[in-house]
Amino acid sequence: MQSQDVAPRPRPASAAAPGPVVDIEQAEAALVEHYPRLVRLAYLVLPPSLGRNRRVLTAHALTQRTLPRGRTSGDTAVLPAQKTAAESRDRDPGYAYVRLRVLRTALEAGRPLTFRAWPTRAQLPPLLPQVWGLRLFPRSGGADELALDQRLSALSAPGRAAFVLRGLERLADADVRKVLAAAGAENPAAALAEADKVSAGLAVNGPDEAAEADGPDGRYGLLASPEFDPCSLQARPTDLMRRRQHVKAAIAAAAAVAVCGALLGMPGDGWGPDGAAAPPYARNPAAQAALDPGRLTLVPAGAWESSARTDFSVWPARGELTGDKGLLRRALAVWARPGESVQVSATPGTPSGAPPGPPQLLYAGVVDQSRVVLLYDGLRIARYAEAKDGGTQGAALDFARVDGATGADASALVLGRTDGNVRYLTAPWVRTATVRDLLKAPAGTADDKAGAAGTTRLARSADGVTEPFASPAQQTGECRSWNVLELAGPTGTRLTTDLGELTPARLTSGRPGDPRDASAAAWSPLACSLAAARGQGVRAVNSWSYARQSLPDGSGDAEWLCTRADTWRGGGPRVLAQFHAPGQRYGAVAAKAENASACGSKDPHVLAGVLWKSVEGDWYLLAAGSKDTASIRATGGVSGAARSNLLAVRTEQGAQAALKGTLDSGREINGLR
């Protein structure tokens, strides 16, 4: 549909062409004389989404700010002699100037706020005029006014401006285009096309009535309705209950500010001296230094090569975000004062308080969909993680105790776990990283070459970050695989496994007090028993083959093993005695205990028993102690004794027995239960 001009429109000249000079007195006179019309123009162009109250106040504020600061070029062209009141108004360069200023600021107010640019004054709520305790809005019109308002709300700001200039100001389409261009509209032609849609939508039923509606009393005549007059207003109170609540909250906030100000103004010992104690955390210089990312300890990349130490203190700072002061500041602040939305976890026995001073930065970078920071304060590893997009909702803070970690204990740290997979940051001295599935490694030999089955070489980044692989820490259900991380360095190859902590647990084998690095084959029959040690703060798990026993039916020799999981905190070790019958792929747990000294460096002894069924269907109580066990006796549901470290007594299914042993030194030990 072609745009329609409202008669009379005899003026060919543009109202936006350069014209006479306008001074402030001339602009003020035009503003005062035509103030209601200018405010109505601003009200109609402003977006209805502002709400009627703010739209009224904003329209008045924009109109009142249109006066120039001095003399300026006019905005109207020299037009023919005046013939009508409308032409007399439009011939006034002062009116044309303030109208253009009103239109320009109204279009600016309708633009959405963005983070890329500062908002203009027109886009912000008006400072003046202000009305407190009342809501102001124009008088309600009829159904036609409501329909027009709804259609205008669906237009863009330039589209509304085009409709208003055409209908309220009676400008020809050519003049409308020029005025919109001068006001900063990007596409005046598109704005006129939008206005045409409103004109078509508001046309009345018949052709004759539609033609009649083009006149001043038609669809454009609705623009003069009281519905769109921001100078003829109704007043209603605001939400009285909410206002009362806001007043109470303001009084409480003012009282809190007064109290806090009084407390901050108190001298250091105003509430009673604390002797030689330092000031509270917020005013403690050492604690404040711990929150400064510029005070973080950064170890040079090659420091570990010349140092006699092989612990976390010689790890260099790695990752692409080590220079991101904002990320580091957030990590330190959350460490000191984790908010309610922060997910905080710590291994058993690990304090989660603030660092005593500036910690050491180990890593800062992007890991999968998170930004991760690893920090070390000499006692603990702290891992801070936040969303990659910068949001702090759902931030996580994890702690792990690592005091006394050297060599193999400081060879890797968990960077992140996602979808059942785990990524590690390896020590700078690690040369290669390999994943081995213990359940696919042949059992019974310590030869690394024999463990080639189920082996995958891990790729690592230049910073030592491994590619992800399946973690046993998060697997549930039946134990079908158990991946371990094999790290090769200048002092040998070591096996570690993920037990749900920031630090992987080291796997060893041998007599307590003298363990050695284990092979995958040695741990293959025991792999699934590691599930009992998950989430316990385990530092190392040792496997000790303490006895071999010939079975009573002559079917072969069984192996007795003891596994002990020691923790970083020292307490809470877990001990398992396992019986491995010939021909069986995995061992069976014969006994277990927690906080027991058995199988440890301070008590390298163990005694355990199991009910075993022979091939012929006979049941036996089999028991075995470490080699320095001189005798074993069984009491209770089974009676029997042996003057050696092995015992085999025939019994019935389900029999219960208590075991006691005597060591070569004469000391008595109880069976592990």
Side-chain angles (χ1 to χ4, degrees):
M1 175 178 178
Q2 300 295 326
S3 60
Q4 302 175 1
D5 296 339
V6 178
R9 291 178 183 164
R11 297 181 308 278
S14 169
V21 173
V22 178
D23 58 24
I24 188 170
E25 291 82 6
Q26 189 176 6
E28 182 181 14
L31 175 64
V32 172
E33 180 181 357
H34 303 291
Y35 184 81
R37 188 179 193 87
L38 293 169
V39 176
R40 185 188 293 263
L41 173 66
Y43 181 83
L44 287 166
V45 176
L46 286 171
S49 59
L50 292 178
R52 300 177 73 186
N53 181 72
R54 180 176 168 184
R55 195 175 165 195
V56 165
L57 297 179
T58 302
H60 283 274
L62 297 182
T63 305
Q64 294 171 14
R65 293 204 300 261
T66 56
L67 289 180
R69 289 185 171 84
R71 295 170 63 83
T72 184
S73 175
D75 298 295
T76 58
V78 177
L79 298 176
Q82 305 173 10
K83 296 182 179 180
T84 66
E87 292 176 352
S88 175
R89 181 182 64 246
D90 293 340
R91 288 279 302 171
D92 181 3
Y95 175 77
Y97 174 80
V98 294
R99 180 181 64 188
L100 181 61
R101 290 287 301 270
V102 168
L103 186 61
R104 181 181 295 128
T105 53
L107 291 176
E108 290 179 357
R111 296 192 183 104
L113 295 174
T114 63
F115 291 102
R116 297 181 178 178
W118 289 99
T120 62
R121 185 179 179 185
Q123 293 175 286
L124 300 175
L127 296 177
L128 290 174
Q130 283 286 353
V131 178
W132 297 91
L134 290 175
R135 296 180 66 252
L136 302 178
F137 47 88
R139 298 180 180 276
S140 299
D144 293 338
E145 286 85 351
L146 178 61
L148 176 59
D149 190 45
Q150 290 175 342
R151 291 185 178 275
L152 289 178
S153 66
L155 301 183
S156 64
R160 288 191 297 271
F163 186 85
V164 173
L165 289 174
R166 178 191 283 170
L168 187 66
E169 293 295 294
R170 300 290 192 264
L171 294 182
D173 285 359
D175 293 336
V176 171
R177 278 190 287 267
K178 293 178 181 179
V179 172
L180 288 178
E186 295 182 357
N187 194 340
L192 279 169
E194 285 191 76
D196 289 340
K197 296 178 181 178
V198 176
S199 301
L202 290 177
V204 291
N205 297 330
D208 295 336
E209 297 179 11
E212 182 182 345
D214 287 335
D217 296 330
R219 52 181 171 272
Y220 292 124
L222 294 176
L223 296 176
S225 168
E227 171 81 13
F228 307 113
D229 184 5
C231 292
S232 178
L233 302 172
Q234 294 183 358
R236 294 292 185 272
T238 57
D239 190 329
L240 299 179
M241 293 299 297
R242 181 177 296 179
R243 188 169 68 188
R244 182 177 299 174
Q245 294 172 354
H246 287 175
V247 170
K248 292 180 179 179
I251 294 174
V257 170
V259 172
C260 293
L263 292 177
L264 292 176
M266 295 289 291
D269 56 353
W271 291 104
D274 292 330
Y281 186 87
R283 291 182 287 138
N284 188 328
Q288 288 178 333
L291 302 179
D292 183 2
R295 302 286 294 274
L296 285 171
T297 301
L298 304 178
V299 176
W304 66 273
E305 297 179 290
S306 58
S307 175
R309 307 184 65 166
T310 55
D311 56 15
F312 293 113
S313 67
V314 295
W315 276 37
R318 290 174 284 178
E320 69 271 27
L321 299 181
T322 53
D324 189 339
K325 299 299 182 183
L327 172 64
L328 300 179
R329 188 181 303 277
R330 290 193 297 274
L332 293 171
V334 170
W335 187 351
R337 304 181 308 277
E340 294 182 357
S341 63
V342 180
Q343 303 175 22
V344 181
S345 67
T347 56
T350 304
S352 58
Q360 176 185 343
L361 177 62
L362 302 182
Y363 180 84
V366 176
V367 180
D368 296 321
Q369 298 302 314
S370 301
R371 293 195 285 186
V372 176
V373 179
L374 289 180
L375 300 166
Y376 171 61
D377 68 352
L379 172 67
R380 300 163 296 172
I381 294 292
R383 175 185 175 272
Y384 170 79
E386 66 180 27
K388 183 179 178 180
D389 59 7
T392 55
Q393 290 296 325
L397 184 64
D398 305 313
F399 294 96
R401 185 170 175 174
V402 292
D403 50 315
T406 59
D409 296 329
S411 59
L413 290 173
V414 171
L415 274 181
R417 296 184 180 90
T418 305
D419 298 329
N421 296 324
V422 62
R423 283 185 190 268
Y424 284 97
L425 176 67
T426 57
W429 52 81
V430 171
R431 295 172 180 170
T432 61
T434 305
V435 176
R436 293 184 182 273
D437 186 351
L438 292 182
L439 300 190
K440 294 181 181 179
T445 175
D447 185 5
D448 288 340
K449 294 181 180 179
T455 300
T456 304
R457 178 67 62 88
L458 278 180
R460 294 186 299 154
S461 69
D463 289 329
V465 179
T466 68
E467 61 180 325
F469 64 92
S471 168
Q474 296 178 323
Q475 70 179 10
T476 58
E478 186 178 355
C479 180
R480 296 181 179 273
S481 67
W482 194 279
N483 287 335
V484 295
L485 178 65
E486 183 180 83
L487 301 174
T491 59
T493 301
R494 297 179 174 90
L495 286 184
T496 61
T497 188
D498 183 15
L499 294 180
E501 321 288 358
L502 286 180
T503 55
R506 181 185 177 189
L507 300 182
T508 61
S509 62
R511 184 175 178 81
D514 188 25
R516 62 185 183 276
D517 289 308
S519 66
W523 264 96
S524 178
L526 309 172
C528 293
S529 65
L530 290 169
R534 287 186 291 206
Q536 302 300 316
V538 173
R539 179 174 188 171
V541 186
N542 183 60
S543 170
W544 173 32
S545 178
Y546 67 89
R548 296 188 69 86
Q549 183 176 22
S550 297
L551 297 178
D553 62 355
S555 58
D557 293 340
E559 184 179 18
W560 288 88
L561 301 106
C562 183
T563 59
R564 178 182 174 92
D566 287 308
T567 65
W568 285 97
R569 65 188 182 276
R574 291 176 174 247
V575 180
L576 295 179
Q578 301 192 48
F579 176 79
H580 192 188
Q584 298 295 320
R585 181 70 175 88
Y586 308 114
V589 176
K592 57 184 178 181
E594 189 172 353
N595 290 317
S597 60
C599 298
S601 58
K602 295 182 178 180
D603 187 16
H605 312 288
V606 64
L607 173 62
V610 68
L611 287 177
W612 175 78
K613 183 180 180 181
S614 68
V615 177
E616 290 80 8
D618 298 326
W619 286 90
Y620 291 87
L621 170 65
L622 304 181
S626 49
K627 291 184 179 180
D628 55 354
T629 303
S631 62
I632 301 174
R633 61 185 181 276
T635 58
V638 181
S639 297
R643 301 188 63 83
S644 68
N645 67 326
L646 302 173
L647 172 67
V649 180
R650 192 164 183 170
T651 185
E652 301 294 334
Q653 180 181 5
Q656 299 288 328
L659 296 175
K660 286 188 175 294
T662 302
L663 302 178
D664 293 338
S665 63
R667 173 191 160 197
E668 288 195 349
I669 60 173
N670 294 319
L672 199 65
R673 301 183 65 86

